[in-house]
């Protein structure tokens, strides 16, 4: 058998094997494509405070898609996610000012998690200058949407002497009608309401305890 014929036969036999090996190597080196989060899925991640962990777990593959949905499409859940990524240096270069900007954009569209987070930040002075009045403004909006963390913090601020007595009734009503399974949280709510009730007329407390 001629040498050229042997080489051709050898190439014919080895080519499928080499292609298979090459494909396997590429598959191992190239991460699987990550599907983009749906709005309900992302909001659920945000509410569980696992949205940043999810982005990191997905190897930062969706940064461009996230930015596009935050910036061009102005989706509030993606604005909140991108704002947090910027504020905490997750998969993007840290930019606190721009991060808070996107958080505010999400809050302006009524995203409860963004309202609660900004209220908490203004309460504690994290990322922004401490401003109790601004904190109450954000927390009140989040509380009206049923955000329990916001409701607890809002009542805590009222019990500490901040805010207007005109807002006590709504804050009491929202927290009183919150339903929680955790016993420790239930007790925390009870204590907070008892303190707030001491600042209110009995008739107002009775009215605030009526079902929503």
């Amino acid at each position: 058998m001629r040498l050229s014929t042997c080489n051709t036969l050898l190439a014919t036999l080895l080519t499928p094997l080499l292609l298979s090996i090459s494909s396997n190597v590429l598959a191992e080196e190239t991460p699987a494509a990550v599907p983009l989060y749906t709005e309900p899925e992302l909001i659920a991640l945000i509410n569980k405070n696992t949205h940043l962990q999810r982005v990191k777990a997905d190897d930062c593959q969706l940064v461009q898609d996230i930015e596009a949905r935050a910036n061009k499409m102005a989706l509030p859940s993606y604005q909140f996610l991108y704002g947090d990524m910027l504020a905490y240096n997750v998969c993007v270069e840290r930019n606190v000012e721009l991060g808070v900007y996107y958080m505010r954009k999400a809050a302006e569209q009524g995203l409860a998690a963004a309202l609660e987070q900004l209220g908490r930040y203004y309460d504690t002075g994290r990322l922004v200058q401490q401003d109790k009045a601004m904190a109450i403004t954000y927390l009140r909006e989040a509380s009206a949407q049923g955000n329990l963390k916001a409701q607890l913090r809002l009542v805590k601020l009222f019990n500490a002497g901040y805010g207007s007595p005109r807002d006590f009734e709504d804050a009491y009503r929202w927290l009183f009608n919150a339903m929680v399974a955790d016993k420790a949280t239930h007790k925390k709510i009870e204590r907070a309401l008892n303190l707030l009730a001491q600042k209110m007329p009995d008739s107002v407390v009775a009215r605030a305890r009526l079902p929503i």
Side-chain angles (χ1 to χ4, degrees):
M1 186 180 294
R2 293 182 179 180
L3 183 59
S4 59
T5 304
C6 290
N7 288 340
T8 301
L9 180 60
L10 185 61
T12 302
L13 293 172
L14 289 178
T15 296
L17 178 61
L18 292 172
L19 287 173
S20 176
I21 293 172
S22 177
S23 298
N24 290 336
V25 170
L26 286 173
E28 290 176 2
E29 291 180 350
T30 305
V34 175
L36 195 61
Y37 322 126
T38 64
E39 280 268 68
E41 181 184 11
L42 180 52
I43 290 172
L45 291 169
I46 290 169
N47 290 337
K48 292 187 293 185
N49 196 30
T50 58
H51 51 294
L52 294 181
Q53 293 94 312
R54 176 63 179 271
V55 173
K56 288 188 283 189
D58 289 337
D59 296 323
C60 304
Q61 292 186 49
L62 299 177
V63 172
Q64 289 184 340
D65 291 314
I66 291 168
E67 182 181 3
R69 277 156 180 75
N71 188 18
K72 297 179 181 178
M73 298 177 68
L75 297 175
S77 59
Y78 276 94
Q79 289 174 329
F80 181 82
L81 173 60
Y82 190 52
D84 260 8
M85 289 166 62
L86 288 163
Y88 295 104
N89 192 31
V90 174
C91 298
V92 293
E93 185 176 349
R94 189 174 195 187
N95 187 330
V96 173
E97 183 178 357
L98 188 58
V100 173
Y101 166 82
Y102 277 106
M103 292 177 203
R104 286 201 178 105
K105 285 295 183 182
E108 287 169 5
Q109 295 201 63
L111 186 68
L115 291 162
E116 185 278 327
Q117 180 159 292
L118 284 170
R120 174 163 32 96
Y121 286 178
Y122 276 109
D123 180 25
T124 61
R126 184 171 188 176
L127 301 185
V128 296
Q129 294 301 309
Q130 191 177 57
D131 186 332
K132 300 294 187 180
M134 188 67 74
I136 289 170
T137 298
Y138 280 112
L139 291 171
R140 179 180 169 81
E141 292 299 316
S143 296
Q145 293 190 43
N147 187 289
L148 180 60
K149 290 189 293 184
Q151 292 168 352
L152 279 165
R153 187 172 292 271
L154 182 64
V155 170
K156 182 180 178 181
L157 282 167
F158 289 159
N159 285 333
Y162 298 100
S164 169
R166 292 175 299 179
D167 293 326
F168 290 177
E169 183 177 348
D170 282 339
Y172 189 103
R173 179 180 295 108
W174 292 327
L175 191 54
F176 180 79
N177 284 280
M179 298 181 186
V180 296
D182 180 68
K183 291 183 178 179
T185 304
H186 193 276
K187 282 292 184 183
K188 186 176 182 180
I189 291 172
E190 185 178 16
R191 290 192 297 269
L193 290 174
N194 287 339
L195 286 173
L196 187 59
Q198 296 173 22
K199 299 175 177 289
M200 302 163 61
D202 291 343
S203 60
V204 176
V205 173
R207 189 170 62 211
R209 293 169 71 94
L210 294 173
I212 294 177

